[in-house]
Amino acid sequence: MLAASARRVPRRPLSSSASLTRSTPPRSPAGASRSYALSVVPPKIPKGMILPRHFTGKKAFQYNWYMRILDSSTTSPLIFLYHNDFTSQKLIKLRRDISAASNRSKPSLSSASPAGIPAEPVPEPLLTVIRSGIFGAALRDFPAVENADVMQMTEGVKGALAVLSLPVLDPPQLKAILRTFDRNVPPRKPKTEEELKKALDEKNADPLNPGRRMKKLRQIVDPELKVLGALLDGQILLPERVRSVADMPSLQTLREQLVGLLSSPGTQLAMTLSEASGGRLARTLEGLKKGLEETAGDAPP
């Protein structure tokens, strides 16, 4: 009976040449991901390729989509963002935070007119995670952008990128969005030498229980978000200039200041004429008369 059951149990071969030839290739380590750098330098042309290059399928759709985003920069700014270690839930929360910040500071162009007619609603900002390789090709073909400025903006940056499309250029709204970035995704603090040494020692240390499977620890994801620059009407703005633009007043405030500067000379003239009218004008003329009489009396005969 035992012999019959033993015959029914299939045996697994320990090693064979066939199993070695059909072995699967080694997988990449966990957490390793392919990184792209936004480059506008034309790649090397392979032999036999016909220029200009035309994308097909999904790449053609992405290329045309990115070109439409770049075309919209003539009227609305594009904010380039570098993001790292963002999960899908974190991206959803980031989009909600951007929408909430833009709603707290609506552009002045969206307010109702004096006649009581409501203006057209301004669309909300749109965050698009881009594919750097195809987006770089779209930037190369976009004539309004200087490649040297793009290279200066993305110098030393490798990883996932995103583009935030704003409906209009409204400095208070831009400032609210930048403040949201700093509050919800604060910049990472650089690690000290002690922290780096401790992490290296933990990595190279022997396991506590040799021969046993280590417990999987839940990795704490610390997302990172950084503003690389902006694109507005063919001009590349670096992060310092983007924040200086965000500190400017709104368009309506600038219009009111301009109207005040243009109307101030006329207002001052009207105030001077109003002050010189009536009794003040009579006193002014009386003083002028006495001054002329004193001048005539002091003159030699």
Side-chain angles (χ1 to χ4, degrees):
M1 205 174 158
L2 291 175
S5 62
R7 287 195 298 269
R8 288 196 298 267
V9 176
R11 294 182 178 180
R12 181 180 298 175
L14 296 178
S15 63
S16 62
S17 59
S19 62
L20 291 176
T21 55
R22 292 194 298 268
S23 60
T24 58
R27 296 181 179 179
S28 59
S33 60
R34 187 176 180 182
S35 61
Y36 295 89
L38 184 60
S39 176
V40 292
V41 179
K44 295 182 179 179
I45 303 174
K47 187 177 180 180
M49 177 178 286
I50 301 175
L51 295 180
R53 182 181 177 185
H54 297 283
F55 295 101
T56 58
K58 184 178 179 180
K59 292 184 178 180
F61 173 78
Q62 291 179 341
Y63 177 83
N64 295 328
W65 184 16
Y66 296 157
M67 288 299 294
R68 288 195 296 269
I69 293 177
L70 292 174
D71 290 335
S72 66
S73 64
T74 56
T75 56
S76 58
L78 301 178
I79 310 298
F80 295 94
L81 303 173
Y82 163 77
H83 62 93
N84 186 24
D85 290 339
F86 264 85
T87 60
S88 58
Q89 291 81 6
K90 289 287 185 180
L91 282 175
I92 293 173
K93 185 179 181 302
L94 180 62
R95 288 188 170 94
R96 290 176 179 173
D97 295 339
I98 293 173
S99 177
S102 63
N103 290 330
R104 284 196 302 268
S105 177
K106 279 290 186 181
S108 57
L109 297 179
S110 62
S111 59
S113 61
I117 303 175
E120 295 182 0
V122 179
E124 295 186 356
L126 178 63
L127 180 64
T128 305
V129 178
I130 62 175
R131 187 174 178 180
S132 306
I134 301 180
F135 194 83
L139 276 175
R140 288 195 299 269
D141 298 340
F142 193 64
V145 178
E146 293 290 339
N147 294 344
D149 297 338
V150 178
M151 293 178 64
Q152 181 182 3
M153 180 182 65
T154 59
E155 183 178 3
V157 177
K158 292 183 180 180
L161 302 180
V163 174
L164 178 62
S165 305
L166 301 180
V168 292
L169 177 58
D170 188 70
Q173 185 186 41
L174 178 60
K175 186 174 183 178
I177 293 175
L178 295 180
R179 193 185 300 115
T180 300
F181 292 162
D182 297 337
R183 186 187 302 113
N184 297 338
V185 191
R188 291 181 179 178
K189 297 181 179 180
K191 293 185 178 180
T192 61
E193 295 182 359
E194 297 179 356
E195 293 176 350
L196 294 175
K197 184 179 179 181
K198 183 179 179 181
L200 184 61
D201 293 342
E202 292 178 355
K203 181 179 180 181
N204 298 330
D206 296 332
L208 298 177
N209 299 321
R212 293 186 179 181
R213 181 179 297 177
M214 297 180 62
K215 293 183 178 179
K216 292 184 178 180
L217 300 177
R218 186 175 182 181
Q219 186 179 4
I220 300 176
V221 180
D222 185 16
E224 183 180 6
L225 186 67
K226 183 169 61 175
V227 178
L228 299 179
L231 173 62
L232 177 61
D233 199 12
Q235 295 184 2
I236 295 294
L237 308 180
L238 296 181
E240 295 80 8
R241 194 174 177 186
V242 172
R243 295 192 179 273
S244 63
V245 171
D247 292 334
M248 295 175 61
S250 63
L251 181 60
Q252 185 65 24
T253 305
L254 291 176
R255 288 174 177 172
E256 293 174 357
Q257 293 177 358
L258 181 60
V259 171
L261 290 174
L262 294 177
S263 60
S264 60
T267 305
Q268 293 177 359
L269 179 60
M271 291 175 61
T272 303
L273 294 176
S274 63
E275 291 177 357
S277 62
R280 185 169 296 183
L281 179 58
R283 290 192 296 269
T284 303
L285 295 177
E286 187 67 24
L288 180 60
K289 178 183 177 182
K290 290 182 179 181
L292 293 175
E293 290 176 353
E294 292 177 358
T295 305
D298 296 338

